[in-house]
Amino acid sequence: MTAGIERLAVYVPAYALPLAELARARGVPPEKMTQGLGVEAMAIAPPCEDVVTMAATAGARLLRAAHVDPETIGMLLVATETGVDNAKPVAIFVHELLGVGRRCRVYELKHACYAGTAGLMTAADWVRAGGGRPRRALVIAADIARYALGSPGEPTQGAGAVAMLVGPEPKALVVDAETATYADNVYDFWRPIGRREALVDGKYSVECYLEALAGAFTAYRAGEQPVLGPGEALSDRLARLLYHTPFPKKAMKAHRRLVEIDWRAAPARWAEVGPVLEGVAAASYRTAVAPGLEAVARVGNTYTASLYLCLASLLEAEGAALAGRRLGLFSYGSGCCAEFFTGTIPAGAAGIGATGVRETLARRTFVDVPTYEQLLHAGEQGGAPPAGFTGDFVFHGVRNDRRLYGDAREAKAA
């Protein structure tokens, strides 16, 4: 049975900090951040916004755009590493805010940035297992990437959510059932209980990422059907390649590693490209990878949502042109778990319309460094939405150890 993504919707907080301004404030040449990372700006959440409100806003916009009754959703999964409670899942708050029916399987997934793909695969398998019974799942990947002020990770922050409607009639991406995975217990990135900001071993994390990519991609390549010819690369069959992208330069490194592995495994191809690998890999990156990175460059790191922000951006920009073409997708979560899979953009992709990327980016307000620092120090205190707030829901705060949420329109009118 076919399963995949019927539609996507993106939500990004209304505030953003240009990285050039952050660099100047930290006494660093701006190009070290903007060119070194490939990021122009990073999204910043105000105190009235948290992972619940972001996830719910993306979900609400998706359901409205797809004209889907929330009561028909049989599974609601939220993938995040920005949980708000050690027992109560983000998903159940979202369930209430969206008005999803009670006959629904609801839970939260966690495995660093990989959790979004864990949710998609779980939902797709659930849809396929339904047989003749129509099933629809709502999968939302949402996160706020935080690092300490002045730390090496500070310029790799960001925030955002991507909601995906998963069902038997995919109009955005038909997800192939065969995938390849890789797992290993490593301390490349982690956030101990009680810590607000994550800890990361940056150089080691890149090494772990690339090793996981090699493991998952090599396994997938070996099982490709029809079998690849002696001079054929798997990437020849893929119109675009999307990677887990905390910042665009990481996707560049990932693609360089992937095509080398792919081309080395095809002796005739390697004889042709091996001597000029760097130039050919760079050209392949510009064609196959760069078109999906525009949103990440303007939003920053969204952890679980990263890969799917790339997909949403690509579909909005090139969905119609890529109809009938196959994509390769690589998901990575520190700790670690990774998965390489493929999917086809169906002929009806042009009919899904906008995913919300351009609209939400166009409505943002850019802040200066002092304002950004005030927002980070304030944390998630809750309260009234500020001027220019674009979300559908707000976090009011904590009362008697209980988190309170509400409709943004009602909060603005109060």
Side-chain angles (χ1 to χ4, degrees), residues 323-345:
R325 306 290 299 279
R326 189 178 175 202
L327 308 181
L329 301 96
F330 174 68
S331 178
Y332 176 80
S334 292
C336 72
C337 186
E339 190 158 0
F340 187 89
F341 62 103
T342 59
T344 300
I345 298 178

Side-chain angles (χ1 to χ4, degrees), residues 11-47:
Y11 174 72
V12 174
Y15 292 143
L17 173 68
L19 252 64
E21 291 196 19
L22 178 63
R24 284 189 284 269
R26 300 293 181 257
V28 174
E31 59 272 16
K32 184 174 182 180
M33 290 188 183
T34 56
Q35 296 177 24
L37 297 173
V39 178
E40 301 169 16
M42 58 188 191
I44 308 295

Side-chain angles (χ1 to χ4, degrees), residues 1 4 6-7 63 66-77 100 103-105 123-124 126-127 133-139 164-171:
M1 182 180 184
E6 297 189 353
R7 196 175 183 119
L63 295 177
H67 305 291
V68 170
D69 181 353
E71 288 280 347
T72 65
I73 299 298
M75 174 180 279
L76 171 56
L77 307 179
V100 175
R103 297 184 63 183
C104 183
R105 186 175 295 171
W126 176 74
V127 168
R133 295 175 295 168
R135 289 180 168 183
R136 266 183 166 166
L138 178 59
V139 178
M164 297 174 278
L165 186 64
V166 181
E169 299 177 356
K171 298 179 179 64

Side-chain angles (χ1 to χ4, degrees), residues 221-304:
R221 193 185 191 283
E224 169 71 354
Q225 294 293 331
V227 174
L228 295 166
E232 186 181 10
L234 175 57
S235 53
D236 294 342
R237 299 182 179 182
L238 306 174
R240 297 287 184 270
L241 280 149
L242 304 176
Y243 298 88
H244 164 58
T245 308
F247 50 89
K249 279 301 177 71
K250 198 159 188 176
M252 181 181 289
K253 291 181 179 180
H255 190 66
R256 163 65 174 74
R257 176 64 59 88
L258 182 143
V259 293
E260 181 179 3
I261 293 169
D262 195 23
W263 295 339
R264 279 185 181 275
R269 174 63 61 84
W270 185 245
E272 176 187 345
V273 303
V276 289
L277 176 62
E278 299 305 326
V280 178
S284 174
Y285 169 82
R286 290 191 294 271
T287 300
V289 183
L293 297 177
E294 180 183 356
V296 173
R298 299 172 64 188
V299 173
N301 195 354
T302 56
Y303 288 163
T304 58

Side-chain angles (χ1 to χ4, degrees), residues 37-392:
L37 297 173
V39 178
E40 301 169 16
M42 58 188 191
I44 308 295
C48 70
E49 193 152 54
D50 68 358
V51 69
V52 171
T53 62
M54 291 194 309
T57 295
R61 293 180 180 182
L62 173 60
L63 295 177
R64 287 198 300 268
H67 305 291
V68 170
D69 181 353
E71 288 280 347
T72 65
I73 299 298
M75 174 180 279
L76 171 56
L77 307 179
V78 176
T80 186
E81 53 187 281
T82 321
V84 298
D85 191 280
N86 288 329
K88 197 174 177 70
V90 169
I92 202 65
F93 292 107
V94 175
H95 175 273
E96 179 183 38
L97 291 172
L98 297 184
V100 175
R102 295 189 177 185
R103 297 184 63 183
C104 183
R105 186 175 295 171
V106 182
Y107 57 94
E108 176 181 323
L109 299 99
K110 179 178 72 176
H111 189 134
C113 303
Y114 170 72
T117 297
L120 172 61
M121 294 303 169
T122 298
D125 287 345
W126 176 74
V127 168
R128 294 187 189 104
R133 295 175 295 168
R135 289 180 168 183
R136 266 183 166 166
L138 178 59
V139 178
I140 307 173
D143 267 305
I144 300 174
R146 297 190 187 98
Y147 297 94
L149 294 176
S151 70
E154 184 182 20
T156 63
Q157 298 179 98
V162 179
M164 297 174 278
L165 186 64
V166 181
E169 299 177 356
K171 298 179 179 64
L173 187 73
V174 179
V175 177
D176 295 335
E178 294 300 321
T179 75
T181 53
Y182 177 95
D184 191 18
N185 183 20
V186 296
Y187 264 99
D188 59 330
F189 169 102
W190 67 106
R191 183 165 66 90
I193 292 175
R195 281 192 65 98
R196 187 167 180 264
E197 296 90 9
L199 300 172
V200 60
D201 184 337
K203 183 179 179 181
Y204 182 52
S205 185
V206 173
E207 293 172 359
C208 293
Y209 180 108
L210 295 177
E211 184 175 348
L213 169 63
F217 178 75
T218 300
Y220 190 93
R221 193 185 191 283
E224 169 71 354
Q225 294 293 331
V227 174
L228 295 166
E232 186 181 10
L234 175 57
S235 53
D236 294 342
R237 299 182 179 182
L238 306 174
R240 297 287 184 270
L241 280 149
L242 304 176
Y243 298 88
H244 164 58
T245 308
F247 50 89
K249 279 301 177 71
K250 198 159 188 176
M252 181 181 289
K253 291 181 179 180
H255 190 66
R256 163 65 174 74
R257 176 64 59 88
L258 182 143
V259 293
E260 181 179 3
I261 293 169
D262 195 23
W263 295 339
R264 279 185 181 275
R269 174 63 61 84
W270 185 245
E272 176 187 345
V273 303
V276 289
L277 176 62
E278 299 305 326
V280 178
S284 174
Y285 169 82
R286 290 191 294 271
T287 300
V289 183
L293 297 177
E294 180 183 356
V296 173
R298 299 172 64 188
V299 173
N301 195 354
T302 56
Y303 288 163
T304 58
S306 165
L307 175 62
Y308 301 99
L309 181 60
C310 292
L311 176 60
S313 182
L314 181 70
L315 287 172
E316 195 166 272
E318 298 187 328
L322 292 174
R325 306 290 299 279
R326 189 178 175 202
L327 308 181
L329 301 96
F330 174 68
S331 178
Y332 176 80
S334 292
C336 72
C337 186
E339 190 158 0
F340 187 89
F341 62 103
T342 59
T344 300
I345 298 178
I352 67 170
T355 60
V357 172
R358 290 173 181 160
E359 179 186 1
T360 194
L361 292 179
R363 298 170 63 188
R364 293 193 301 172
T365 299
F366 288 93
V367 300
D368 57 21
V369 172
T371 302
Y372 147 73
E373 293 179 344
Q374 290 173 8
L375 289 169
L376 256 65
H377 283 307
E380 295 169 1
Q381 296 180 348
F389 184 73
T390 58
D392 289 22

